[in-house]
Structure formats: C-alpha cells, structure tokens
Amino acid sequence: MIDARVKFAAAVGILLLFTAACDMKAEKQATVSPPVQNLTATLEDEIHDLPNGEIKWSTYWRLCWDNYAGATEYELQPLTSEGASDKLRRQSERCFRLEVAAGQNPRTEGLRDRELQLAMRSSQLAYRVRAVLAGGKFSEWSKPLSVARPADNERP
C-alpha cells in the first residue's frame, strides 16, 4: 500500500514540476541554440561504519552533461512544484552532486527508508542546465531532470 502511495506522490510531483517548468517567464538574455544536451543522472551511496553495529549513510544524485562548445561556465536552476527558482547555481564543472537521502541505523537494516526518501525528493525537485557563453549569451535551457532518479542520456 505504501509503495502505491509513494509512486502516486512521485507521479503527481513530477507532473507539477514539468508544468512549472513550462510556465516559466521568458528569458530576457540573449540565447542561442541548441540547449545543453545528454543529461545523465546516477545515484551514489556512501556508507560509514559506526560503533555498535550502526551505519551512517548518504545517497547522492549526480547530474552530468555533455561539454557545450564555447561555454565558460554552466548555470543550474532548481525547479519545484511552486515554479522556477530565481537563485541560479553557476559552476565550471560539467557535473553537479546533491545529497538526496540520508540516515543512521543498524547495519542489519541496510539503507533504511532510502527508497521512500528518494521518491519524495523526485516528486519535489528537478534541475535544468544552460551554458554561459561569451558576450552575455546563454544556451537554451536543457529539459528538466527530476532529482533522485537515475536517468540515462535524456535526449531532447
């Protein structure tokens, strides 16, 4: 029963994220085609042993994309069900890493509640990427990719 509710919540959240992305205001900066392409997302787990048979664990969502010719940097924009954030993250690297689940519990319980945390995050948050070019220009935005979901080569 909980699995069906988690899947439903994730589906509703993703629909809201993409709706918000489509309703964003037009960019005033000069943009060039094409958008940043070939976004790939993976999940990476880190587990650390603690005393008394406990573990502390974290799951990271890693988003990467192809090099964009002429890019000096990249901007990432978080998207939520409430819309697109005005706070952009600017970086020179072509990958972005975000903690999406974490816990501390007995080792025998594995990564307890990891799947539930991932489902909740994937329904709440997505990112899109664009290239920063010389002369105050930007590439078009990539398609948004939901956080906490691994994806292979999202192509426009």
Side-chain angles (χ1 to χ4, degrees):
M1 181 67 158
I2 192 167
D3 189 41
R5 283 184 274 157
V6 168
K7 287 180 182 177
F8 178 74
V12 169
I14 290 168
L15 179 62
L16 290 172
L17 283 171
F18 292 140
T19 301
C22 292
D23 290 341
M24 288 180 257
K25 297 175 185 171
E27 298 291 329
K28 292 184 180 181
Q29 294 116 344
T31 58
V32 297
S33 292
V36 171
Q37 296 186 19
N38 296 328
L39 274 67
T40 345
T42 56
L43 295 174
E44 302 171 345
D45 293 317
E46 290 185 9
I47 303 169
H48 302 283
D49 290 320
L50 298 174
N52 301 320
E54 296 264 316
I55 58 170
K56 182 176 182 178
W57 59 270
S58 295
T59 299
Y60 294 89
W61 180 72
R62 181 176 168 89
L63 175 66
C64 296
W65 53 89
D66 281 353
N67 185 48
Y68 195 96
T72 58
E73 292 181 299
Y74 297 91
E75 287 185 339
L76 290 92
Q77 184 178 46
L79 307 171
T80 69
S81 58
E82 297 174 2
S85 174
D86 292 337
K87 294 182 181 181
L88 303 179
R89 176 186 175 91
R90 190 174 278 204
Q91 63 182 49
S92 57
E93 300 86 21
R94 290 185 302 110
C95 290
F96 170 68
R97 190 173 187 233
L98 179 69
E99 184 180 65
V100 292
Q104 181 176 328
N105 51 266
R107 174 174 281 288
T108 57
E109 295 179 9
L111 308 182
R112 186 175 64 205
D113 297 329
R114 177 183 183 265
E115 295 307 314
L116 178 61
Q117 290 182 47
L118 293 177
M120 290 175 59
R121 288 290 285 212
S122 70
S123 68
Q124 298 170 346
L125 182 62
Y127 275 88
R128 64 184 189 160
V129 182
R130 70 179 177 184
V132 179
L133 307 167
K137 294 183 180 180
F138 298 87
S139 73
E140 294 176 5
W141 285 107
S142 68
K143 290 184 177 183
L145 201 57
S146 290
V147 166
R149 290 190 176 268
D152 296 321
N153 295 331
E154 286 287 319
R155 302 203 189 268

